[in-house]
Amino acid sequence: MKILVIVEQREGKLNRVSFETLTGAQAIARETGWALEAAVVGSGVGEIAREVAGKKVAKVYDIESPQLAAYTPDAFVAALKPFLAEKKPTLVLMPHTYQVRDFAPKLATALGRALVSDCTGYKKKGDKLLFVRQMFQGKFAADVAFDSEPPYFATFQTGAFRGDQVEAGASPAAIETVQADIPASALRNKPGEVFKEAKQAVDLTQAQIIVAVGRGIKEEKNLALARQLAEALGGEIAASRPICDAGWLPMDRQIGSSGQTVAPKLYVALGISGAIQHIVGMKGSRTIVAVNKDSEAPIFEVADIGIVGNLFEVIPPLVEEIKKAKG
Amino acid sequence: MKILVCMKQVPQKDAPLKLNESGAWIREDVSYEVNEPDAYALEEALRQKEKHGGEVVVITAGPARALQVLREALAKGADRAIHLEDAAFVTFDAANIARAFAAAIKEEKFDLIFTGLQSDDFGFAQTGVILAELLGWPHATIIMQIEKAEGGIKVKRELEAGYFQHVDMPLPAVLTIQSGINKLRYATLIGIKQAKNKPLRKVALAEVQPSLAANQLNIERLYVPQKTKKTEMIEGPPADVARKLAEKLKNEVRVL
């Protein structure tokens, strides 16, 4: 019985979120007594393999091919499918990143198996491993079990485990280089360079105070209210994805998995229900204040201070009180 | 271009959800709406058709109520619809939904298949990618732009933290569409009228059954998540709430 963690590299750099998955895998290995191995997939990524080999793992595979230099789902699956068929791990764990979302369902399907994606944790129930994930936009959690033969595929959400708690090994683990045989004809997608849109003017990661709005703001003109609060607090205005999708605020003001990840001193969430994609971008904030009309909104699960009520009634007097308190 | 859009009906965003007797699913007597990312996928398909001509077909799997999603899509401009009608589809994992879709369209020849990037209920973000693998087609996920290019299409993928990437790919292909790729349109009155006369093909579970397999993922239990934090609730009339919160921001959070 064996756990395999596929760490993520992008552009030849280790994505640190891989250590979170490794921490989770180490915990599962401790509880089950299963061996833990890791793999990195790429071209000339031996340095990453060496870094991972410093952690408490039995072995690290460095899966190499010139066809893996730029990420494509075809090349990754062409490299990993025969590798997994040969090594037969019981459990394959990956971080739930955009790259993994792109190839992991294809990989599991190619092997005739299922993937439980975006997990926040696991439970051991007797001999069975259950994977915990959120459903219905965070309103419920689910315990999901595999009803099949291994390998079982699971991905862990950012923040599910603490990357800084990954255990180092007593001595560096052995590294085995695997040459993947991928014919150029297998690659159908031709990826271009990774780029950033020129206009990313706002760096919210440096903001001390953020006032963020969600669907509860209802209309574009109501943003003025949130702006007044942000101004009174001396903070930046931000939003959940739907607000930016609607064009009410520019995309560079978006907090969450597809936007910026922030950890200000104060985060005020106005009319944000707290879908998981938003939570991962702000749960590290020192103090979270949530105002929402729905007392069961998932945002209250991460809030330090909660107000169940109509934000249109609460904000105007709050702006006045803040101005008074500031003198 | 002939485009298939996979759509799902999900509980309305602010619908209060309750667990059913089994404790492994919700009570289904709630209000439903179209999965929002799928609405963007449909809009993108309609825009591609307006630019390049062709046909937009919408497909869903679910009980009779799911027909509403197809009706709305037809009213917005889709040309025809396929309804895999059975209550059992609600319990299918992503792989089985993909198998059912693949079986239902095996007589068709699409250039592109769109899905939303994920559903608001399960949130697995897998159906489109699995469907591509079952069909043997290339795919790309979290797409923000689609252009015709020599030998196929050029798409813009959204990566994390504000990064993007263009990808050239051949057709046919499956794309999962990111919310916000476009501005959604409303159905017009005339569109709603015309929708009634557009072709709708019903597919019974029995027709796709031979292509299905046992679910490999089993939801054992559904429950309200345990709170990880102690939340201090401030209650009272708005003026009192505002005053108490301002005090806390000054004395405890120390940001004023």
Side-chain angles (χ1 to χ4, degrees), chain A residues 218-254:
Chain A
K218 290 205 163 69
E219 287 181 61
E220 186 171 9
K221 65 175 166 59
N222 296 334
L223 276 177
L225 205 56
R227 281 188 213 278
Q228 284 165 23
L229 179 60
E231 206 171 294
L233 285 166
E236 292 281 350
I237 190 146
S240 63
R241 176 118 202 164
I243 301 302
C244 299
D245 282 347
W248 297 356
L249 278 176
M251 280 290 178
D252 56 6
R253 297 241 169 218
Q254 184 204 331

Side-chain angles (χ1 to χ4, degrees), chain B:
Chain B
M1 283 208 275
K2 197 170 153 183
I3 306 173
L4 178 74
V5 184
C6 304
M7 308 191 73
K8 187 173 193 182
Q9 194 185 42
V10 297
Q12 248 172 23
K13 268 177 208 73
D14 47 8
L17 302 181
K18 290 195 173 58
L19 292 174
N20 69 9
E21 295 73 27
S22 77
W25 197 245
I26 57 161
R27 284 181 49 167
E28 299 208 8
D29 52 344
V30 294
S31 311
Y32 289 87
E33 64 186 1
V34 60
N35 181 47
E36 191 175 74
D38 300 344
Y40 285 99
L42 170 66
E43 178 64 39
E44 192 55 30
L46 295 173
R47 286 174 188 228
Q48 292 293 330
K49 183 192 148 183
E50 282 155 10
K51 238 189 267 175
H52 306 296
E55 188 186 21
V56 173
V57 182
V58 287
I59 188 169
T60 198
R65 62 170 161 78
L67 179 62
Q68 183 57 26
V69 165
L70 300 179
R71 275 209 194 102
E72 283 170 26
L74 292 172
K76 283 183 172 187
D79 298 292
R80 58 189 169 91
I82 306 170
H83 185 188
L84 281 65
E85 189 182 338
D86 202 295
F89 286 114
V90 173
T91 62
F92 280 23
D93 63 15
N96 265 327
I97 290 293
R99 286 187 194 105
F101 282 174
I105 60 161
K106 65 175 186 292
E107 304 294 327
E108 306 241 21
K109 262 192 143 55
F110 290 103
D111 300 299
L112 281 167
I113 297 180
F114 291 175
T115 71
L117 83 160
Q118 62 191 52
S119 62
D120 285 347
D121 52 3
F122 281 80
F124 272 128
Q126 295 190 38
T127 306
V129 179
I130 294 172
L131 183 56
E133 177 66 13
L134 294 176
L135 295 170
W137 294 7
H139 76 267
T141 54
I142 319 189
I143 298 306
M144 283 301 278
Q145 197 181 304
I146 303 159
E147 283 166 25
K148 262 195 151 171
E150 217 186 291
I153 48 171
K154 185 191 271 297
V155 299
K156 182 176 159 193
R157 285 186 66 209
E158 182 182 305
L159 308 177
E160 277 141 337
Y163 285 91
F164 297 90
Q165 181 179 42
H166 286 113
V167 178
D168 284 294
M169 55 199 301
L171 297 176
V174 178
L175 303 176
T176 80
I177 306 295
Q178 172 64 293
S179 295
I181 180 175
N182 47 39
K183 291 267 171 299
L184 301 177
R185 73 188 64 191
Y186 292 99
T188 58
L189 266 176
I190 189 149
I192 294 167
K193 253 190 176 161
Q194 284 169 346
K196 293 186 181 119
N197 298 317
K198 288 179 175 175
L200 167 74
R201 177 157 70 93
K202 296 228 178 201
V203 178
L205 178 58
E207 285 178 60
V208 296
Q209 191 84 54
S211 307
L212 304 178
N215 272 355
Q216 291 191 17
L217 296 181
N218 176 25
I219 296 170
E220 291 213 339
R221 196 166 75 90
L222 205 62
Y223 49 95
V224 176
Q226 281 162 336
K227 281 179 80 81
T228 49
K229 248 187 186 175
K230 221 170 127 187
T231 308
E232 191 178 340
M233 302 304 288
I234 306 179
E235 287 161 6
D240 291 2
V241 167
R243 187 176 39 77
K244 285 183 207 161
L245 179 56
E247 275 169 22
K248 281 189 184 299
L249 294 179
K250 186 175 175 118
N251 301 325
E252 294 170 30
V253 187
R254 294 176 178 276
V255 288
L256 298 186

Side-chain angles (χ1 to χ4, degrees), chain A residues 164-226:
Chain A
D164 56 358
Q165 287 178 356
V166 65
E167 240 185 291
S171 59
I175 297 173
E176 184 181 325
T177 305
V178 178
Q179 296 297 339
D181 180 22
I182 307 168
S185 60
L187 276 59
R188 295 169 291 186
N189 293 4
K190 306 277 180 273
E193 294 294 314
V194 169
F195 64 93
K196 219 166 193 173
E197 302 274 70
K199 217 179 121 279
Q200 268 281 338
V202 194
D203 183 8
L204 294 174
T205 62
Q206 300 304 314
Q208 292 292 304
I209 296 173
I210 292 174
V211 174
V213 297
R215 287 177 197 279
I217 200 80
K218 290 205 163 69
E219 287 181 61
E220 186 171 9
K221 65 175 166 59
N222 296 334
L223 276 177
L225 205 56

